Amino acid sequence: MIGFDKLNDMQKKAVLQTEGPVLILAGAGSGKTGALTVRIAHLLETGVKPWNILAITFTNKAAKEMRERVEKLVGDTARDMWISTFHSTCVRILRREIQHLDYENQFSIYDSDDQEKIMREAFKRLNMSTTDKTFSVKGAMSIISHLKEEMTSWEDYAQHVDKNDLKAVRIAKVYQTYQKMLKENNALDFDDLIYKTVLLFRQFPDVLEKYQERFRYIMVDEYQDTNTVQFKFVSLLAARYGNLCVVGDDDQSIYKFRGANIGNILGFERVFPDAKVIRLEQNYRSTKNILKVANSVIKNNQSRKEKSLWTDNPEGEPIKLRQFTTGYEEADYVVRNIEKRISTGEFHYKDCAILYRTNAQSRMFEEKLLMASIPYLSLIHI
């Protein structure tokens, strides 16, 4: 098998377990992409047709990388597979099937600017103020987005709304009007792409059956970041043959604020009782010291799948930890450290990078860099 000899024992187990539901708990730097691509090649070797394979990733970049790696293993055969994001997969299905939902196949897909424009128009139709800070246009967009992620239609929401909750009543009216306007324009917003596909599958079993027959082997990467509607989508597709392989790491789930439902990965064995669980714990990226610290920190998480990363890499430099009382104090320390290393000739400016968790933190670092006359390039603007 191409690439099989380069895998470790647990990666090989993940490749060979092709039937039934499979949960691959892949720690950081554990070579999950390599294992997934070899798994696809193995499926083809066992006689699975390329068009019966669906691989879903979270970004176009990840999908492109996976497709390229699969092509290196199996050649042009990879072109007959669907290797794409959730949204791209659903767009392809809707372009062929959305007439069942009384839309035209050449529907428009609205971006955030289009959404905001039509939401403002919905506010005006309802004689609602677009400058009201207690119930804003963007606030309404965010709420409706969350409702769609949870598979809640405007009808369901309106049916259960508390009539004494004025904000909830307004949301119900705006949601209804917003959806009506999208329909008038034969348009879907970004959240509709998966939401409408799930509705399509639920309302038209014959359409669902067609795609269940098409995609007999389904793989989902970064499963810890899936939300409710994404879970419904893959669950429906996999219901006939049960060959659903999900790959993820609950310890790397950081997108709850975007609607990610950690319960999807933590409860996988409850939803699929016969699931096989495979742990990829060998790390190829980090030193022993980094993993030692990472394991000691992450073990304190209250809800997690038990695993412990290890590596054959060297011990590496000791980890240095510094605590600060304010963000400005932290930024000042980082910039002074750069100044010191530049002045001694240890580094050049191009050798230095500052990593931070959220874009909001960049302002403090930029202010300190400007004060120190240190040239920099802010990647949040690229």
Side-chain angles (χ1 to χ4, degrees):
M1 187 191 308
I2 303 173
F4 191 75
D5 57 333
K6 297 180 181 179
L7 304 179
N8 62 43
D9 289 343
M10 295 308 292
Q11 289 173 324
K12 289 177 180 177
K13 187 176 180 181
V15 167
L16 297 175
Q17 184 62 54
T18 58
E19 304 302 308
V22 182
L23 170 60
I24 301 175
L25 293 171
S30 60
K32 65 182 176 70
T33 304
L36 277 179
T37 53
V38 175
R39 189 176 192 272
I40 292 173
H42 175 57
L43 284 170
L44 295 173
E45 287 185 346
T46 61
V48 176
K49 303 302 181 184
W51 50 84
N52 290 146
I53 298 173
L54 171 64
I56 299 177
T57 66
F58 263 81
T59 66
N60 290 321
K61 180 181 178 182
K64 182 174 182 290
E65 179 188 354
M66 183 177 289
R67 178 174 292 280
E68 289 173 348
R69 292 177 72 162
V70 171
E71 284 181 352
K72 286 182 180 179
L73 292 178
V74 304
D76 292 343
T77 304
R79 297 177 184 176
D80 292 323
M81 304 175 199
W82 283 25
I83 303 176
S84 60
T85 64
F86 274 102
H87 292 94
S88 295
T89 300
C90 290
V91 168
R92 293 179 73 175
I93 294 173
L94 291 174
R95 289 291 183 203
R96 302 176 183 186
E97 311 290 349
I98 202 170
Q99 72 276 3
H100 294 286
L101 296 177
D102 199 26
Y103 282 78
E104 295 178 15
N105 296 85
Q106 296 305 312
F107 57 85
S108 300
I109 301 173
Y110 280 2
D111 60 18
S112 56
D113 290 338
D114 296 322
Q115 287 178 253
E116 185 173 348
K117 182 179 179 180
I118 199 171
M119 183 63 77
R120 287 184 179 279
E121 183 59 34
F123 269 52
K124 290 177 182 177
R125 284 193 186 186
L126 295 168
N127 295 317
M128 296 167 110
S129 172
T130 58
T131 59
D132 184 353
K133 293 183 179 179
T134 62
F135 188 69
S136 66
V137 167
K138 289 191 175 180
M141 289 167 58
S142 177
I143 292 169
I144 291 172
S145 174
H146 176 69
L147 289 172
K148 290 181 181 180
E149 287 173 353
E150 294 299 315
M151 284 302 301
T152 304
S153 65
W154 73 261
E155 294 95 339
D156 290 336
Y157 185 81
Q159 184 178 353
H160 298 95
V161 73
D162 181 355
K163 304 302 181 185
N164 296 316
D165 186 338
L166 296 181
K167 182 178 180 180
V169 171
R170 295 172 81 184
I171 291 169
K173 290 180 179 178
V174 168
Y175 192 1
Q176 178 184 7
T177 304
Y178 174 72
Q179 288 303 116
K180 181 181 178 181
M181 294 177 68
L182 285 174
K183 184 69 178 297
E184 289 171 356
N185 294 341
N186 194 45
L188 304 180
D189 65 22
F190 205 56
D191 296 299
D192 276 330
L193 298 177
I194 308 177
Y195 173 65
K196 293 290 188 184
T197 306
V198 173
L199 287 181
L200 175 73
F201 286 167
R202 284 179 169 177
Q203 294 176 17
F204 298 91
D206 55 327
V207 176
L208 172 60
E209 184 178 347
K210 179 166 71 172
Y211 287 94
Q212 287 174 334
E213 287 295 331
R214 169 71 187 262
F215 302 122
R216 301 186 181 194
Y217 291 86
I218 302 168
M219 281 168 277
V220 183
D221 197 8
E222 304 294 355
Y223 191 68
Q224 76 278 355
D225 294 330
T226 54
N227 58 30
T228 300
V229 70
Q230 290 164 338
F231 167 75
K232 296 290 185 184
F233 172 70
V234 294
S235 296
L236 285 167
L237 272 183
R240 177 171 289 261
Y241 290 98
N243 299 321
L244 173 62
C245 173
V246 302
V247 185
D249 181 6
D250 51 306
D251 292 334
Q252 296 184 63
S253 180
I254 60 172
Y255 291 120
K256 185 177 180 180
F257 70 97
R258 290 185 185 174
N261 184 352
I262 188 66
N264 290 348
I265 191 168
L266 293 177
F268 188 81
E269 295 149 275
R270 185 185 69 254
V271 178
F272 304 97
D274 56 340
K276 299 291 190 298
V277 181
I278 301 168
R279 289 172 168 80
L280 303 185
E281 298 173 304
Q282 183 174 1
N283 177 284
Y284 295 93
R285 183 186 302 160
S286 306
T287 61
K288 285 186 171 68
N289 279 330
I290 289 175
L291 289 186
K292 192 184 301 180
V293 171
N295 285 330
S296 65
V297 171
I298 206 68
K299 72 179 182 180
N300 295 299
N301 281 5
Q302 293 182 350
S303 298
R304 66 185 294 261
K305 297 284 189 181
E306 187 59 40
K307 58 186 169 302
S308 182
L309 298 184
W310 61 275
T311 185
D312 284 332
N313 290 339
E315 290 288 334
E317 294 291 323
I319 305 299
K320 298 178 182 178
L321 171 67
R322 285 184 91 60
Q323 291 180 291
F324 305 96
T325 55
T326 69
Y328 279 105
E329 185 181 329
E330 177 188 37
D332 185 65
Y333 169 80
V334 170
V335 172
R336 283 191 291 106
N337 203 294
I338 292 173
E339 283 185 305
K340 177 182 177 182
R341 291 169 183 265
I342 295 297
S343 65
T344 60
E346 184 178 357
F347 293 131
H348 298 290
Y349 287 133
K350 65 182 178 63
D351 300 320
C352 304
I354 301 173
L355 306 180
Y356 43 85
R357 173 56 62 87
T358 64
N359 287 341
Q361 292 175 270
S362 69
R363 180 178 176 181
M364 291 172 280
F365 289 111
E366 292 190 49
E367 287 182 7
K368 293 295 182 179
L369 289 168
L370 286 169
M371 291 172 63
S373 298
I374 294 178
Y376 68 90
L377 178 64
S378 178
L379 296 184
I380 69 170
H381 301 305
I382 294 179

